[in-house]
Amino acid sequence: MNVILIAVIVLAVIGLVAAAVLFLVSKKFAVHEDPRIGQVASYLPQANCGGCGYPGCSGFATACVKAADAGSLEGYLCPVGGQDVMGKVAEALGMAPVATAPRVAVVRCNGTCENRPRQVEFDGQQSCRVQQMTGMGETGCPWGCLGCGDCVRACQFGALKMNTETGLPEVDETLCTACGACSKACPRGIIEIRLAGPKGRRMVVLCNNKDKGAVANKVCKVSCIGCGKCVKVCDKFEAITLNANLAYIDAEKCKMCRKCEDECPRHVIHAFNFPPRGAASQNPKPAVTVKKEEATVEKVSRKE
């Protein structure tokens, strides 16, 4: 009986000592989290897409709190929640909301099945990354879309789908959050997160081919050949640059005059969400009505 009692007492003492040690350690190494982090995180959509550049919504909430302490939330944006969510975050942190220009994913390739015909058939795993590691894909262009849909599978919001006729992914701008997941999934860097532009309008060079003109011309009917005509026609605004045989339009400098679109001999430059040209002329002002009104006024004046 004494042995059992001693054992119980010893175990009780060990438990008390261990509890005291754990209590002291927890106090010494306790990590105090700012309560504002949890509050900010509660406003975030918890998509954990990484589009903000931080590891999940919790990491972004922590970064926002630190930025608020530094005095500015400029440059911080939750691509999924958008400006509405950032307004709530700014209000919770006692900061003025910072307006951020909306962005959207753009597929910078127009190498459809018609413009860039298949030369071989890949009989392996249908993955862009696998095709990129094993060769140039099914066409002769080493820069164009591989068409396996890695970007579609990476999108959590259903904003991308593969067009079976063109073999290219298409972006639904109403669903795209510009999180960048599709851009990261593309092994050739074809998908770019660009400024959406006013009313969604933007000018984009739909090509990623950096080969010289003669080589690019052989593999795709609508490839950029680096002729530089678009650069010359935009010399006033300097919105277009030519680097490594490939033209690129700076969305912040572009005035959307569309001169480059007309100048491009390869029809590589595309205008997104612009009204059809000549729409104004299709709905002319009712000149006849004006003439009738003028005639009525003239009659009245004669009677007087």
Side-chain angles (χ1 to χ4, degrees), residues 9-20:
I9 294 173
V10 170
L11 289 174
V13 171
I14 293 174
L16 290 172
V17 172

Side-chain angles (χ1 to χ4, degrees), residues 278-290:
S281 60
Q282 293 175 4
N283 298 305
K285 293 182 179 180
V288 177
T289 304
V290 174

